[in-house]
Amino acid sequence: MNSFHKRYWNLPIQNSAPLRRVTLLVDGKPEVVNQISLAAAPEQADWWAFLDTHVWPGKNLTFAEENVWIEESDEIWGSETLYKESLRSQVHFSSRRGWLNDPNGLVFYDNNYHLFYQHNPYGWSWGNMHWGHATSPDLVHWTEHGDALAPDSLGAMFSGSAVVDWENTTGFGANGKPPLVLIYTASGEQATQCLAYSNDGYKFTKFSGNPVLPEITPGNRDPKVFWHVPTRKWVMVLYVETSGKRHTIHFFSSPDLKAWDLMSVTEGGIDSDKFLFECPDFFELDLDSNEKNKKWVLTAANSNYSIGSFDGTVFTPEFSDISDVQGEGFYAAQTFSDIPQKDGRRIQIGWIRADSPGMPFNQLMSIPSVLTLKSTPEGPRLARTPVKELESLRDVSATGSGCFELHVEITESTEFEVSGVRISYDYKNQELMVRDYKITVPLISGKQNLMVFVDRTVLEIYASDGLVYITLPHLSQGESLPERGQLYPLRSLWDI
Ligand code: FRU
C-alpha cells in the first residue's frame, strides 16, 4: 500500500518486462486499471513513467497490488533532461512520457488551442488508452497537463472530438460560461460513445448518463462532432463497420449531445482499400477562397477523402476516395473545432508514426497545417500550408538544434541531400524522388517550390503550392546542413 504525499508517483518501466496489472484505488475504490511493464527493481528501469496525483485532488490514492515500486517526488523523474532528450522533436509536439497516437478533441477554448491525444502514460507502446492533454496559445509552444480522461469500467478511452457548447444545450455550463465537451469512444466489452465536460478547460467530469450512444456494431468508434449552423443541431460522424466488412460512416444528429438519432449512412468502402476506416473528420471549405462556393470534405484515417455536398442529413459525394498525404506515417488527422470566425482557418494535425528508440516517450504530432480547397484539372483538391505561427521559431543562431526549414525553388531537374535523405526532382516528368518514394509533384507556373521541415525523427515536405504534402519518419543527421536553397534554422519550441 502506498499513500500519497507528493505530486508525482514515478514508476520504473522496463520495456521488455511482462505486463502487470496495476489498479489505482481512489478513496479505496478501484478507479483505473493499467497493464504496465514494471521493472522488478529500479536499477532495471529503461525509463520512468509518472502518475500525476493532481488529477485526483484531495483524494486518498493507493494501489490495490503489493510491491508496486514508486518514487514520490515534486518532479517527474528525469525532469532535468525533459524536452532535451536526443530524439525529442523540437518543432513538433510529443508527450513528456509514454506512447501517443491519434490527436483527439482539437478545439479552441478560452484563448488556447487544446490538443488531446491517445496516450499510454505508462508504456512505450500502444495500450492503457488515456486522453493526454496539452494547450498552446499559438499552435507552436505547448504546455502539457495531466491526462484528461483515464480508462474506466466502460473501457479504454479511444479517439474522439471536442466542441464548445456555446448555447449550453447540454446544461453542463456553469456561471454563464459555455462548457467544453469531449465526445469519445469507450472501448470495453462494447464500444460506446460517451461525454465528458469541463468548465475551466483543465478538469474533466464524465457524464453520469454515459454512454450516450450504444454500440451499433463491434469496433464502431471515433465520433467527430460539430454544430451544423443551418439546421441548428449537433452532427456526429462515426466509423461503423457493417455486415460484409463494409466500412461506413454513420451520420447522427442531436439537440443536446446526449440523445442521438441516425440520419444517414455512407455507401461504404470495402475492407481491402480501408477507405472510411477509423477517425473520420467532416468539414466545409470554400473552393478557391470563394465563400459562395462551399464544399464538404469527409476525411479518413489514412488521409483519403471525398468532396461533396451536405444538406444537414445526407452527404452526397461528388469526388470520392481521393488519395492525399504521400510518403508514410501520417495518420488519423483531425481539424480544430471552434476557431474564431474572424480567423476562419481550418487547421489540421495528424499523428506521425515515427519511433523514438531508447527514449522515455514515443511518436509525435505533425506540424499543424491550414487546409484549403483548390481547383485542379482533376477536380477540387485539398491543399496545405504550415501555420504561419511556425515562423516564430526561425532563428539564425539556432543551428545547434539541428532542426530547420529549407525552401528550394526548382526550375530544372535537380538533386540534393537533406539530413542524409536524397531528394531529386525530375522536371520533365514532374516527379519527386525521396528515399524510395516516387511521387507526382506537379509544376506550378513552370516552377517547383519545396518547403522541407527537418526535425529529429521526421521530415515533412510541402510542394506544388500545398497540393502535395509528404511525411517521412527519419532519424535526423542534423550536423549536415543542406547546401541548396534558403535555410531557416529553427529554435526549439520547448525553449520559451
Ligand atoms: C486509430 C485508432 C482509432 C482508435 C484509437 C485507439 O489509430 O485505431 O480508431 O480510436 O486508434 O488508440
Side-chain angles (χ1 to χ4, degrees):
M1 282 292 237
N2 308 288
S3 62
F4 104 89
H5 306 285
K6 296 199 174 141
R7 175 163 185 174
Y8 296 106
W9 288 8
N10 293 284
L11 297 143
I13 307 295
Q14 186 181 14
N15 294 328
S16 61
L19 290 170
R20 251 189 81 181
R21 182 188 167 97
V22 177
T23 310
L24 179 70
L25 304 177
V26 177
D27 288 341
K29 292 199 206 79
E31 173 93 3
V32 190
V33 180
N34 289 296
Q35 302 289 337
I36 308 182
S37 291
L38 273 180
E43 318 75 77
Q44 286 161 15
D46 293 317
W47 57 281
W48 292 75
F50 66 87
L51 182 139
D52 182 352
T53 63
H54 274 199
V55 174
W56 295 273
K59 305 281 188 197
N60 181 34
L61 304 182
T62 50
F63 288 127
E65 293 79 9
E66 299 291 322
N67 302 326
V68 178
W69 180 284
I70 58 164
E71 293 281 357
E72 286 183 32
S73 169
D74 294 326
E75 305 286 340
I76 75 170
W77 233 229
S79 58
E80 35 339 308
T81 51
L82 181 61
Y83 299 129
K84 300 189 187 81
E85 303 93 341
S86 62
L87 293 183
R88 173 70 68 181
S89 49
Q90 300 292 300
V91 299
H92 294 78
F93 175 80
S94 56
S95 180
R96 287 177 289 190
R97 290 288 180 265
W99 161 274
L100 72 72
N101 53 293
D102 317 349
N104 295 150
L106 301 184
V107 67
F108 188 80
Y109 182 67
D110 259 359
N111 293 318
N112 266 311
Y113 296 92
H114 288 252
L115 161 65
F116 301 87
Y117 55 90
Q118 290 288 283
H119 187 209
N120 182 359
Y122 312 111
W124 193 79
S125 310
W126 187 90
N128 302 318
M129 280 296 122
H130 288 59
W131 274 34
H133 186 200
T135 53
S136 170
D138 60 2
L139 293 161
V140 176
H141 299 91
W142 294 98
T143 304
E144 281 185 83
H145 312 285
D147 287 304
L149 301 176
D152 60 27
S153 59
L154 293 178
M157 302 288 104
F158 274 21
S159 286
S161 52
V163 291
V164 182
D165 180 13
W166 292 102
E167 297 186 20
N168 197 22
T169 62
T170 52
F172 294 152
N175 307 319
K177 189 177 168 191
L180 177 60
V181 184
L182 312 181
I183 308 98
Y184 61 92
T185 301
S187 175
E189 270 168 43
Q190 306 242 303
T192 57
Q193 315 316 317
C194 297
L195 306 179
Y197 61 92
S198 173
N199 299 113
D200 64 2
Y202 297 98
K203 165 102 190 70
F204 290 86
T205 306
K206 286 173 181 160
F207 174 44
S208 56
N210 280 341
V212 292
L213 189 61
E215 179 172 283
I216 301 157
T217 61
N220 60 185
R221 59 183 180 273
D222 308 335
K224 174 75 196 217
V225 172
F226 63 95
W227 178 254
H228 187 249
V229 178
T231 55
R232 297 192 42 76
K233 65 185 183 221
W234 297 106
V235 172
M236 178 197 290
V237 293
L238 186 73
Y239 162 63
V240 181
E241 185 181 314
T242 57
S243 60
K245 283 193 176 293
R246 293 198 84 78
H247 296 166
T248 69
I249 302 303
H250 279 39
F251 289 75
F252 295 89
S253 71
S254 172
D256 58 3
L257 296 172
K258 295 173 181 169
W260 292 95
D261 288 324
L262 181 63
M263 297 194 294
S264 63
V265 178
T266 59
E267 293 267 296
I270 47 165
D271 190 48
S272 54
D273 63 16
K274 295 278 183 204
F275 182 51
L276 297 181
F277 179 62
E278 310 184 317
C279 304
D281 197 358
F282 190 55
F283 46 85
E284 200 178 30
L285 287 176
D286 298 343
L287 178 59
D288 299 320
S289 309
N290 176 359
E291 58 182 54
K292 297 215 176 72
N293 194 2
K294 292 181 183 295
K295 299 273 178 206
W296 283 86
V297 182
L298 177 64
T299 65
N302 65 0
S303 86
N304 285 23
Y305 60 99
S306 294
I307 299 177
S309 60
F310 180 61
D311 61 5
T313 306
V314 176
F315 172 61
T316 311
E318 294 157 26
F319 302 89
S320 282
D321 198 4
I322 305 165
S323 80
D324 192 6
V325 181
Q326 305 289 314
E328 65 187 66
F330 187 86
Y331 200 72
Q334 189 180 110
T335 60
F336 277 88
S337 182
D338 294 281
I339 302 252
Q341 239 168 6
K342 65 175 170 12
D343 177 319
R345 291 180 296 176
R346 177 63 51 182
I347 301 169
Q348 185 191 55
I349 295 180
W351 162 33
I352 304 271
R353 298 197 271 206
D355 280 354
S356 312
M359 296 290 116
F361 58 88
N362 195 10
Q363 313 289 305
L364 72 160
M365 293 301 171
S366 73
I367 284 176
S369 291
V370 178
L371 294 183
T372 52
L373 256 193
K374 291 186 180 178
S375 294
T376 75
E378 287 79 41
R381 290 291 182 270
L382 281 177
R384 281 182 185 74
T385 45
V387 291
K388 62 178 182 323
E389 288 90 332
L390 258 188
E391 292 174 15
S392 69
L393 294 180
R394 292 180 186 171
D395 179 354
V396 280
S397 63
T399 42
S401 82
C403 303
F404 55 85
E405 180 184 342
L406 178 74
H407 296 193
V408 184
E409 185 183 279
I410 295 172
T411 51
E412 57 187 3
S413 288
T414 186
E415 190 169 341
F416 57 100
E417 199 174 288
V418 176
S419 181
V421 178
R422 282 223 84 59
I423 299 180
S424 60
Y425 189 67
D426 177 339
Y427 189 86
K428 189 163 140 275
N429 293 314
Q430 309 191 27
E431 273 175 351
L432 188 79
M433 267 71 70
V434 46
R435 217 160 59 198
D436 36 2
Y437 291 94
K438 189 189 265 190
I439 299 161
T440 301
V441 177
L443 291 163
I444 305 287
S445 312
K447 270 196 270 186
Q448 190 51 253
N449 284 309
L450 300 182
M451 232 181 189
V452 186
F453 287 87
V454 176
D455 203 335
R456 304 255 162 100
T457 60
V458 68
L459 188 144
E460 279 151 292
I461 303 175
Y462 294 81
S464 297
D465 246 358
L467 288 167
V468 179
Y469 173 57
I470 304 164
T471 64
L472 265 193
H474 169 68
L475 292 184
S476 159
Q477 292 156 24
E479 332 63 72
S480 60
L481 290 176
E483 283 149 21
R484 279 283 318 255
Q486 168 77 50
L487 182 76
Y488 298 97
L490 299 175
R491 204 171 340 128
S492 169
L493 73 93
W494 308 112
D495 299 341
I496 303 177

